[in-house]
Amino acid sequence: MTPPAVLVVGAGPAGLSAAHELARSGVGPVVVAERESAAGGVPRHCDHTGFGLQDLRRPLSGPAYARLLARRAEGAGARILLRTTVADVDQDGAVTLIGPDGITTVRPRAVLLATGARERPRAARLVPGDRPAGVFTTGQLQQWVLLRDLPVGRRAVVVGAEHVAYSAVLTLRRAGVATVAMVTDLPRHQTVPVFATVTRVGLRVPLRTSSRVVGLHGTGRLEAVDVEDLVTGGVDRLEADTVVFTGDWVPDHDLARRSGVALDRSTRGPRTDVAGRTTRPGVLAAGNLVHPGETAGLAALAGRETARRLATTWSDRPDSPSPGAASGLAVGVSGALRSVVPALVDPADPPHRLLLRTGTFGPGRLVVARQGGAVVGSHRLRHATPHRSLSVPGTLVAAADPAAGPLELSLI
Amino acid sequence: MIAADRHGYDVAVVGAGVVGCAIARRLTLDGASVVVLDRAPDVGDGTSKANTAILHTGFDTVPGTLESRLVARGHRLLADYAESTGIAVERTGALLVAWDDEQEAALPGLLARAEANGYGDALLVDAAEVRRGEPHLGPGARAGLLVPGEWVVDPWSVSLAFATEAVTAGAELRLSTPVTGVDRSGGGHEVRVPGGVIRARWLVNAAGLGADLVDRMLDRADFTVTPRRGQLLVFDKAARTLLTHILLPVPTERSKGVLVSPTTWGNVLLGPTAEDLDDRTDTATTTAGLELLLGAGGRILPALVDEEVTAAYAGLRAATEHRDYQIRCHPDLAYVTVGGIRSTGLTASPAIAEHVAGLLSDAGARWEGVPVAPTPPTMPPLGENQVRPMRDPVRIASDPDYGTALCHCEQVSRGEVRDACRSLVPATGLGGVRRRTRAMNGRCQGFWCGAEVVATVAEETGTDPAVLTRTTA
Ligand SMILES: Cc1cc2nc3c(=O)[nH]c(=O)nc-3n(C[C@H](O)[C@H](O)[C@H](O)COP(=O)(O)OP(=O)(O)OC[C@H]3O[C@@H](n4cnc5c(N)ncnc54)[C@H](O)[C@@H]3O)c2cc1C
Ligand SMILES: Cc1cc2nc3c(=O)[nH]c(=O)nc-3n(C[C@H](O)[C@H](O)[C@H](O)COP(=O)(O)OP(=O)(O)OC[C@H]3O[C@@H](n4cnc5c(N)ncnc54)[C@H](O)[C@@H]3O)c2cc1C
């Protein structure tokens, strides 16, 4: 194989958008390694519309969006290797690829990790009880129904009430499964009001707020789900043969960690700067790996921004040096805010946007950036909903002093 | 009538756990015609699939007991067997860590007990050495006892290898076959199973949690089984770097404590609890159990509980009112009962098999066939420290399916899942595929690969996916 200038790991929206941008900029050979048999990442099995609005400015179904992103990347000259797992990124920069043709080693000048995120499964949520069949995450359910046409069950409980939980209800419906309840530990749903209303009123799916699943029962197949009301302490046993654990994202950071990339304590994804650089020189990261649970469009835009910044650096430097380690002013969060991406910023060259997460509804909607106690910027959000994407313009940090102490964002 | 012929088999073994499989292998190699009966759809589907997977030295057993002798002998036999079959073993050694005065005071006694059990390699170590060996331990470790011979083994492959070798040598394996009664007839047995009876001259009861119930079928009441549940948490592979040894608790009068152990698959185990139950099928985990484990784990290895949990499960020890194994031969009944194999049976299994063969021989049992030389099967390399097919260029070149990933977290190829469905003791369900390949056992628990694995197994086994997903077995 001709040594790639950039090896992109993962052909989801982030990886494909980055590959498209890099190939278009003429940085040299761009190779995308994807372990599945088709490119596109998660949208491949999200068969509803709304994809592409943020990045391509047109509405597409998930599969159509996935195909288009792959075609655009290839059209610009990127090469996509399917059924190809990136197994290791060694300390000396050698990258091991495994596929049906064998095991190969490449030495790209830069590696871009775009390995995505997954939903936290049942055991990781410490839900006790039996270990019956019929326990899903939304990602698994969607592949089950849309890619493989496998039978699901009859009666489901959906755990979670963020966007993806509502998407799970639709997939279940399509598979002929009735959702008997949605369960969230928060006092309200966390999606757009219209989805919540249509599901509750139109599809007659009750939402149990301030509740959590405390047990699964069933010797072979799932038979019942115990749901505890966190206010009264009462436990109801709901008959169901299917339970779907939705949202509660975990970055797929295994390769990143094994490559020696440091993680952010709050996102558990790589700590990156505005250029997508990680703590390890030569290794970049973008998309859901860095900020899990965003929309596909935002993941795509993040991939594009990372690629653009790398291409710009290289256009100034004919020797295309391997990117250095992440640098900049550290940004942290306090109070209700749970995380911010990127973790390092340059006030002189702010990112397009900062992506935030809050743990509670409110207190208010004003995001304030402080440096050493002094306010350097603020921005009013349209909503402050847990588990939902909160995006503020990068200019929020433009007035910070690069030489002074770290920035802290809070919600008031 | 199901029986192979009118005279039936030399031996019927009830139970295809690790003990029943080991016995079936031993007797078949000795020349016996053997049938193994289990109600479960796979071998090793009971307690043998849900334990802590430690190859015990027997250093802390009660000196002079049958258990003490068979565990020590089993350690040697199983280590050799693992070597000849390619079953993963990691020679980690164990470190018992004392956290308070009482535990520290108990260490010399444990050292003496190890010596009384014929184990001479244990070593007392001071706080500094403990910390040097295990720098991620929580604060407060006082001293330790190092037991270099305690290792970890891939537990699932052991039952499978014994069963495979037994079947290769001519044993018959009848799964999904519950034994509902036993009738004596002409010096032999008629074993009742759904749809008929199976005739055998000798009966070996290796029914684990059901061993006392099978005993009652022969009008014996040697013991009563009280299931003792052990809940366990499996942590993400990222936690593997946090420890080198199996970290064992120091047992005291007040508590048995829990252990933290590496697994051969590269994960970390935390557990088990010890709860006496009435229900012989209750392998559920509980809120209280998981909380207890996380509390204890956080004290032993604080960084452990920051990592994701990959799986939670529970196993049931077949405890009885006796402190020792209950292995008895009743020559008048042409019957051997193998009960009370509580918490060391994985290790002891090949030694138990040897012991049972000896009891039968002493009782005058003679077999139809001639002894055959062992033909240890080559088991798939499932250990994290072994060369897995996806890391083996020669395997991939021979068959590209070994380079085609199916389960990404555990790096399992399509070829391995296919092989598991076609092997001599084949997987018939998803649980069987998990145990033979590791597929779907990883951190995503099927988020990425679940649908693909189910579709592949349905195709390979010719089973309707709706049937496959009716159980996790
Ligand atoms: C069930 C579900 C429903 C969703 N619904 C919507 C929706 O309706 N609208 C929306 O906008 N967003 C939705 N999202 C979110 C959206 O899918 C993600 O934001 C987006 O896919 C993230 O893109 P990504 O490129 O970062 O990662 P992914 O799409 O996750 O892609 C990562 C890719 O990397 C590959 N990979 C990982 N590791 C390796 C390796 N070592 N070697 C080779 N390849 C590797 C994976 O196979 C995968 O193809 C949904 C997500 C889920 C899980
Ligand atoms: C939490 C825990 C941790 C442990 N840790 C270790 C360890 O680290 N090291 C170690 O060496 N040992 C350990 N053990 C012990 C070890 O797992 C057991 O001793 C061993 O698995 C017992 O094997 P078995 O074949 O006797 O029983 P089982 O595996 O239970 O097999 C008995 C079989 O009999 C079948 N059966 C029962 N009744 C009938 C019937 N009527 N008809 C047909 N079939 C029937 C069952 O279906 C079952 O498959 C542990 C056990 C537990 C529970």
Side-chain angles (χ1 to χ4, degrees), chain A residues 9-15 33-36 41-43 46 48 51 84-86 114-117 138-139 142 164 249 255 287-288 294-296 299, chain B residues 447-448:
Chain A
V9 187
E34 168 56 55
R35 61 194 185 181
E36 300 291 344
V42 166
C46 294
H48 54 262
F51 286 90
T84 305
T85 298
V86 177
T115 53
T138 320
Q142 290 187 338
V164 65
W249 306 92
L255 181 62
N288 261 5
E294 299 295 346
T295 61
Chain B
F447 175 91
W448 292 107

Side-chain angles (χ1 to χ4, degrees), chain B residues 17-19 38-39 47-48 51-52 54 179 207 341 343-347:
Chain B
V18 69
V19 171
D38 200 301
R39 66 156 75 95
T47 299
S48 299
N51 49 54
T52 46
I54 296 171
V179 170
I341 315 297
S343 46
T344 48
L346 171 64
T347 307

Side-chain angles (χ1 to χ4, degrees), chain A residues 1-4 7 31-33 79 81-90 93-108, chain B residues 390-394 396-397 403:
Chain A
M1 194 195 302
T2 19
L7 178 82
V31 170
V32 187
R79 193 166 156 214
L81 303 175
L82 298 175
R83 295 187 187 84
T84 305
T85 298
V86 177
D88 312 292
V89 179
D90 287 348
V95 181
T96 308
L97 309 179
I98 304 179
D101 298 333
I103 305 175
T104 38
T105 305
V106 293
R107 287 178 183 279
Chain B
M390 279 184 65
R391 294 286 188 162
D392 185 346
V394 179
I396 301 175

Side-chain angles (χ1 to χ4, degrees), chain A residues 35-36 87-88 98-100 103 119-121 124 126 128-131 133 137 140 143-144 148 220-221 252 254 257, chain B residues 238 284-285 287 294 307-309 312 390-391 396 400 403 408 443-448 451-452 454 465 469-470 472:
Chain A
R35 61 194 185 181
E36 300 291 344
D88 312 292
I98 304 179
I103 305 175
E119 294 163 287
R120 188 168 272 124
L126 299 171
D130 295 326
R131 301 219 310 163
T137 47
Q140 175 172 3
Q143 298 192 45
W144 204 267
R148 284 301 187 165
R221 180 77 190 200
D252 257 310
D254 172 51
R257 278 182 97 171
Chain B
T285 52
T287 305
L294 289 174
E307 298 296 344
E308 296 285 326
V309 167
M390 279 184 65
R391 294 286 188 162
I396 301 175
H408 302 295
R443 54 175 70 88
C444 92
Q445 292 285 301
F447 175 91
W448 292 107
E452 201 60 24
V454 170
T469 54
R470 226 173 260 158
T472 36

Side-chain angles (χ1 to χ4, degrees), chain B residues 198-218:
Chain B
I198 289 168
R199 290 177 208 283
R201 275 176 283 281
W202 287 83
L203 188 72
V204 175
N205 168 9
L209 293 162
D212 56 342
L213 304 179
V214 172
D215 217 33
R216 305 289 185 277
M217 293 177 195
L218 286 109

Side-chain angles (χ1 to χ4, degrees), chain A residues 224-251:
Chain A
V225 177
D226 284 346
V227 178
E228 181 190 24
D229 183 320
L230 294 169
V231 180
T232 66
V235 176
D236 283 340
R237 186 160 290 191
L238 308 181
E239 261 179 54
D241 59 11
T242 304
V243 59
V244 188
F245 289 91
T246 74
D248 198 359
W249 306 92
V250 204

